[in-house]
C-alpha cells in the first residue's frame, strides 16, 4: 500500500464520555437481508441497513446478479428480487472489497444457480481461506473453475444446474460457512442440513423464516445444533428493520467503561444471545452495563444499554463462548488491559483468519502500548494494568493491517491511556462503522 495514502489518527485522554448514541445497523443482518431479498420474487424493503463499504459491496453484487437495488431518499432500500435460482450471470468479477461475510455468503447463493461468477476482494480478503465454503458447495454440485493458491480469491465458481441437498457437519464454528451451505440449499430439492458443534449467530435461519422458508434448529450433542432447511421454497418479499450492531456498540461501550466518569447510553442494541458474549464477559469483569428497555425489533430482541465507568478485574473467558463474541476479542483486549489482574481468553484459533491475524494483532496492539501479553497456543493472556496511576502507558503506533476493528480498538485504548495512541490508517473503519470518529467525538472523545 502507498504510505502517502494512509490516513492516520490519534486518540488521547480527555474528559468523561457522555451522551446517547445509536450505532449503525448490524453488519451480519444487512448482508443477509440484501442477499435473501434478492432471492425472493417481488419487492422487499430494508430499513436501518448498514451503509458501510462491506455491505455496499454486497448490494452492488446483488445488482450485478440481476436484482434491482435502490436506495430511496428516506434511507430505505428497495430490492426487487429474481427468485431462488434466478441470478443472472454477472458481466464482470464481483468485488467484495474487505468483506469475508459478503463474499462467502454470495458464493453460497451463487453455488445453487446455473451461472458462472468470479469473486474477488482486496489484499486482506485475498489472503483469507475460501476452501471452507467451497468444500461443501462442491458436494452440492458447484464447480471451482479457477482459484488462487490455497483456495483463495480471485476464484471462479460455476454454480450447480441441479444442486443436491447435503447433510454437512461443519468442521469450524463459522456462521459464514453455515450460511453459505443454507443459501445454496435454498435451490436444492429436499432437506439441506448443517450440524454445528458450537452454535454460531443464527441470523440466516431467522431471516430465511422471515422471508417464508421452513428452517428448524434443534439441539445437537453437548452444545451444538442441527439446522434443517426445506429446499426450493417460494421466498416472499418482506420488510426488514435492521437493529443496531452489537459488534459496533462494543467500541463506545468499552470506551465508557475505561474512561473515568463516563456515562453513555447505547440505543436499541441487538441482544441476540448468540452475539452478546462480550457483554457477559464484561459483566463478569465488573462492568456496569444496564439494560434499560427491551423490545422486539424485526424478529430480534433489542435493548437500550446504559454503561458507566467501572473498575474491572481480570477473568477467564471460556472457549465455548468464542462464537458469541468472535469479533469482540480486540476490544476485550483493551478492557483487559485496564483491568486489575490477568485475563485469559481461551480457544481463539478462528481469530487468525479474520480481516487480519487478530490474535497476533491484539497482542501487538497491546504490547506497543506497554501492556504485557502472551499467546499460548490459541489462548491470549493479557496482564491488566488497572485504572489510575501506573495504568496503560499508551504512546504506541498501532498498525491496523487493513482491519477496521484493530483501528477502532486502538483508538478506544488511546482515550484512557496515559499517552496518546496513534493508528497508521483509519480508512478501513468505513467498512463496518461509517461515522465512528464523529460519533465518538460527539460523546467527548479527543480523536484527531
Ligand atoms: C459473520 C460471522 C463471523 C464474524 C463476521 C461476521 C457473519 O465470521 O467474524 O464478522 O455475519 O456470519 P465466521 O463465520 O467466519 O466466524
Amino acid at each position: 500500500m502507498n504510505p502517502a495514502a494512509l490516513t492516520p489518527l490519534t486518540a488521547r485522554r480527555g474528559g468523561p464520555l457522555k451522551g446517547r448514541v445509536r450505532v449503525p445497523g448490524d453488519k451480519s443482518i444487512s448482508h443477509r437481508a440484501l442477499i435473501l431479498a434478492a432471492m425472493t420474487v417481488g419487492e422487499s424493503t430494508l430499513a436501518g441497513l448498514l451503509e458501510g463499504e462491506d455491505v455496499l459491496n454486497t448490494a452492488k453484487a446483488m445488482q450485478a446478479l440481476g436484482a434491482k437495488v435502490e436506495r430511496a431518499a428516506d434511507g430505505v432500500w428497495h430490492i426487487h428480487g429474481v427468485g431462488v435460482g434466478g441470478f443472472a450471470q454477472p458481466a464482470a468479477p464481483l468485488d467484495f472489497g474487505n468483506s469475508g461475510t459478503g463474499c462467502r455468503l454470495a458464493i453460497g447463493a451463487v453455488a445453487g444457480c446455473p451461472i458462472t461468477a468470479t469473486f474477488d476482494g482486496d489484499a486482506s480478503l485475498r489472503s483469507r481461506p475460501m476452501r471452507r465454503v467451497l468444500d461443501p458447495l462442491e458436494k452440492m454440485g458447484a464447480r471451482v473453475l479457477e482459484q488462487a493458491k490455497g483456495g483463495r480469491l480471485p476464484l471462479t465458481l460455476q454454480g450447480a444446474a441441479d444442486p443436491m441437498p447435503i447433510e454437512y457437519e461443519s468442521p469450524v464454528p463459522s456462521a459464514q460457512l453455515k450460511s453459505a451451505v443454507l443459501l445454496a440449499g435454498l435451490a436444492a430439492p429436499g432437506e439441506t442440513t448443517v450440524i454445528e458443534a458450537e452454535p454460531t449467530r443464527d441470523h440466516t435461519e431467522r431471516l430465511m423464516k422471515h422471508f417464508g422458508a421452513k428452517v428448524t434448529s434443534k439441539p445437537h450433542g453437548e452444545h451444538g445444533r442441527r439446522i434443517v432447511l426445506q429446499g426450493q421454497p417460494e421466498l416472499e418479499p418482506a420488510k426488514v428493520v435492521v437493529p443496531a450492531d452489537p459488534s459496533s456498540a462494543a467500541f463506545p461501550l468499552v470506551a465508557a467503561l475505561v474512561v473515568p466518569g463516563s456515562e453513555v447510553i447505547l440505543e436499541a442494541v441487538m441482544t441476540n444471545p448468540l452475539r452478546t458474549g462480550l457483554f457477559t464477559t464484561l459483566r463478569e469483569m465488573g462492568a456496569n452495563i444496564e439494560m434499560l428497555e427491551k423490545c422486539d425489533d424485526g424478529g430480534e430482541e433489542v435493548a437500550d444499554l446504559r454503561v458507566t465507568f467501572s473498575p474491572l478485574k481480570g477473568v477467564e473467558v471460556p472457549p465455548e463462548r468464542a462464537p458469541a463474541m468472535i469479533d469482540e476479542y480486540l476490544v476485550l483486549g483493551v478492557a483487559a488491559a485496564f483491568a486489575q489482574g490477568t485475563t485469559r481468553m481461551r480457544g481463539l484459533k478462528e481469530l487468525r483468519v479474520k480481516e487480519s491475524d487478530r490474535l497476533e494483532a491484539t497482542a501487538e496492539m497491546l504490547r506497543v502500548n506497554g501492556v504485557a501479553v502472551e499467546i499460548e497456543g490459541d489462548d491470549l493472556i493479557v496482564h491488566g494494568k488497572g485504572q489510575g496511576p501506573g495504568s496503560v502507558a499508551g504512546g504506541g503506533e498501532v498498525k491496523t493491517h487493513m482491519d477496521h476493528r484493530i483501528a477502532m480498538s486502538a483508538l478506544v485504548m488511546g482515550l484512557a491511556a496515559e499517552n496518546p495512541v496513534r493508528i497508521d490508517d483509519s480508512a478501513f473503519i468505513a467498512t463496518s462503522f461509517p461515522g465512528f470518529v464523529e460519533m465518538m467525538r460527539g460523546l467527548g472523545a479527543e480523536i484527531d
Side-chain angles (χ1 to χ4, degrees), residues 27-28 32 101 104-105 132 173-177 179 201 326-327 350 354-355 405:
K27 182 154 73 71
S28 296
R32 286 159 172 80
T101 308
R104 293 195 179 115
L105 267 54
R132 51 175 60 194
S174 164
Q176 295 177 2
L177 170 47
S179 302
R201 64 191 71 193
I326 196 66
D327 291 334
E350 276 295 296
K354 296 297 177 189
E355 286 82 332
R405 298 197 204 280

Side-chain angles (χ1 to χ4, degrees), residues 3 43 69 84 124 138 164 176 194 218 291 299 303 321 328 350 354 390 413:
E43 182 182 307
V69 178
V84 170
S124 156
E138 283 176 336
M164 286 167 288
Q176 295 177 2
V194 180
K218 300 219 166 90
M291 280 199 189
R321 197 177 291 163
E328 280 70 76
E350 276 295 296
K354 296 297 177 189
M413 180 162 51

Side-chain angles (χ1 to χ4, degrees), residues 362-439:
T362 311
E364 183 189 288
M365 168 183 79
L366 295 172
R367 280 186 192 127
V368 297
N369 287 291
V371 182
V373 183
E374 293 146 63
I375 294 175
E376 272 181 22
D378 297 331
D379 295 356
L380 180 69
I381 301 150
V382 178
H383 299 285
K385 308 281 281 181
Q387 286 146 328
S391 177
V392 176
E397 164 149 334
V398 175
K399 289 196 194 76
T400 46
H401 301 288
M402 304 178 80
D403 188 329
H404 52 132
R405 298 197 204 280
I406 298 178
M408 291 184 276
S409 300
L411 291 174
V412 167
M413 180 162 51
L415 299 178
E418 286 173 9
N419 299 290
V421 172
R422 182 180 145 97
I423 58 170
D424 63 348
D425 190 19
S426 58
F428 286 86
I429 293 175
T431 60
S432 72
F433 199 155
F436 167 76
V437 173
E438 295 73 14
M439 183 180 285

Side-chain angles (χ1 to χ4, degrees), residues 312-330:
L312 300 174
K313 62 177 193 322
V315 292
E316 175 157 331
V317 189
E320 62 275 11
R321 197 177 291 163
M325 55 178 296
I326 196 66
D327 291 334
E328 280 70 76
Y329 284 101
L330 275 154

